[in-house]
Amino acid sequence: MPELPEVETMCRGILPLVGRQVAHVERPPCKRRPIAIRPRIDVFRRRIEGKTIVAVDRAGKRVVIWLGDRQYKARGQEAIVIEPRMTGLVLLTNPPTQEHLRFCLRLFKPASGTPTRSTGESNLLFWDRRGLGSVSLFSAVEFAAKFQGENKTLGPDALRITPAELRQRLHYSRRHIKVALLDQRAIAGIGNLYASEILHVAGIHPAARCHRLRNQQWLRLHAAMHLVLEDAIYYEGSTLSDGTYRNALNEAGGYQNHHRVYDHVGQKCPTCGRGAIQRMVQAQRSTFFCPHCQNR
DNA sequence: CATATGTCCTGAGAGC
DNA sequence: TGCTCTCAGGACATAT
């Protein structure tokens, strides 16, 4: 379930691809229903083959790969946007299975000076067991309209939002704070796992209504958000018991060993040592919390 | 407009 | 053992 820390780790993992040029775009044959690739694969190819990767970025829970012409490296013209959703992985090597390999960029490092013959080939792979993920190509203008415009499918990034902005964007809402934290239009990057972890650190009950939170609580929430997400990035994300999530080199993350509440039903609360962690369901998703130290 | 619910998908694990 | 059922939660479509 890649969320902000996992996607950030993916982005950092493929950073060595900056400067490489796209040789081929491939969609491996696949017995199951193909993932969404937009636009059609032939148009996709025509638009990016020969272009150079000029930057790698993250937009909420999406990996963004900027492409440009080699001689104008500074400006990205097209963006490949990869949405891993539940089980998607962005890899340089070693896909866990061949059958779930969904998309490949064959890359080469242009020889200094002159052209073609590949010096140092490399791949960027998208692997996705459940196939809910997608790969899309946007022009810079389309990208800005969808992810940065006022129509905003994405709110401010959870790591860049200010405390005032956080409060301002949510304080009027009547929703439960846990549910609001999952709304990518409000804040980008937080998913089900980190929402529970963040609220636990902040000492806020997941079913607290946004409009009832006091300023002190918004400040604590903001601080907890940074603390948890930065820590999770440091440990390269969470690989849960199903083992799905991997970094770009197909290595497991380590933050699962630092979870305080997620999937810890019945265990002792690491903060107060008294409460046993409980599970509840909000908007059809599991929430984990300590009833003792997370008061409304 | 804000908020709530349904949908897609696969494989692990439970229960019989 | 082998079958059926449930569940996990990303983003988006549709309903209230």
Side-chain angles (χ1 to χ4, degrees):
Chain A
M1 54 176 78
E3 305 180 25
L4 188 153
E6 289 77 20
V7 176
E8 180 65 29
T9 304
M10 291 176 185
C11 289
R12 294 182 185 187
I14 63 170
L15 221 45
L17 298 181
V18 170
R20 302 206 172 223
Q21 200 168 342
V22 179
H24 301 292
V25 179
E26 289 173 25
R27 185 181 50 184
C30 173
K31 281 171 242 169
R32 25 197 111 223
R33 171 188 151 283
I35 63 155
I37 294 180
R38 301 181 211 92
R40 291 203 335 251
I41 192 72
D42 52 324
V43 179
F44 207 117
R45 285 197 180 103
R46 195 182 327 127
R47 278 172 54 179
I48 71 163
E49 283 179 356
K51 293 233 164 89
T52 300
I53 296 180
V54 296
V56 175
D57 214 341
R58 180 179 59 74
K61 301 176 198 170
R62 295 162 167 96
V63 174
V64 183
I65 299 161
W66 285 100
L67 300 162
D69 288 328
R70 221 187 140 198
Q71 52 273 52
Y72 301 106
K73 278 191 179 181
R75 236 202 315 277
Q77 302 167 323
E78 311 246 27
I80 299 175
V81 175
I82 301 179
E83 280 187 38
R85 299 240 188 145
M86 293 302 299
T87 53
L89 298 180
V90 174
L91 298 162
L92 299 176
T93 50
N94 295 328
T97 64
Q98 283 301 314
E99 60 171 329
H100 302 103
L101 193 54
R102 313 287 186 156
F103 180 87
C104 310
L105 282 188
R106 307 281 176 212
L107 304 158
F108 64 92
K109 187 189 249 170
S112 50
T114 36
T116 39
R117 280 286 175 256
S118 37
T119 46
E121 295 179 11
S122 51
N123 297 317
L124 183 146
L125 310 173
F126 181 63
W127 180 94
D128 187 358
R129 195 205 305 127
R130 278 159 69 176
L132 296 174
S134 69
V135 179
S136 308
L137 185 64
F138 295 95
S139 70
V141 170
E142 290 167 340
F143 181 88
K146 170 141 187 178
F147 298 114
Q148 300 164 333
E150 291 305 314
N151 286 354
K152 56 166 190 208
T153 58
L154 278 187
D157 193 83
L159 283 181
R160 287 192 260 276
I161 197 169
T162 63
E165 207 175 1
L166 173 68
R167 178 183 173 280
Q168 177 226 313
R169 293 181 73 86
L170 289 178
H171 77 95
Y172 61 85
S173 171
R174 312 191 79 81
R175 288 181 292 182
H176 291 176
I177 181 62
K178 154 68 162 37
V179 176
L181 284 178
L182 299 181
D183 181 352
Q184 303 300 299
R185 304 173 117 91
I187 318 165
I190 298 171
N192 200 53
L193 191 161
Y194 292 102
S196 285
E197 294 295 321
I198 288 165
L199 286 169
H200 182 257
V201 170
I204 298 171
H205 195 287
R209 303 271 173 187
C210 293
H211 71 287
R212 308 288 300 267
L213 293 183
R214 292 164 302 131
N215 200 40
Q216 201 54 236
Q217 292 176 294
W218 289 112
L219 291 173
R220 273 178 11 227
L221 182 58
H222 181 267
M225 226 164 61
H226 263 79
L227 209 67
V228 169
L229 295 174
E230 295 285 8
D231 209 25
I233 290 171
Y234 176 82
Y235 288 105
E236 305 204 334
S238 302
T239 299
L240 301 181
S241 53
D242 71 359
T244 299
Y245 168 71
R246 305 268 156 187
N247 69 14
L249 300 177
N250 193 22
E251 300 160 335
Y255 194 66
Q256 64 280 1
N257 300 320
H258 300 267
H259 290 174
R260 306 161 60 90
V261 292
Y262 186 82
D263 216 6
H264 282 198
V265 173
Q267 296 181 35
K268 205 162 69 169
C269 169
T271 298
C272 67
R274 278 184 275 182
I277 302 306
Q278 288 186 10
R279 174 184 178 270
M280 69 189 289
V281 173
Q282 297 175 282
Q284 284 98 256
R285 273 124 178 93
S286 294
T287 303
F288 300 89
F289 68 107
C290 169
H292 183 260
C293 61
Q294 288 175 266
N295 298 315
R296 285 164 194 270

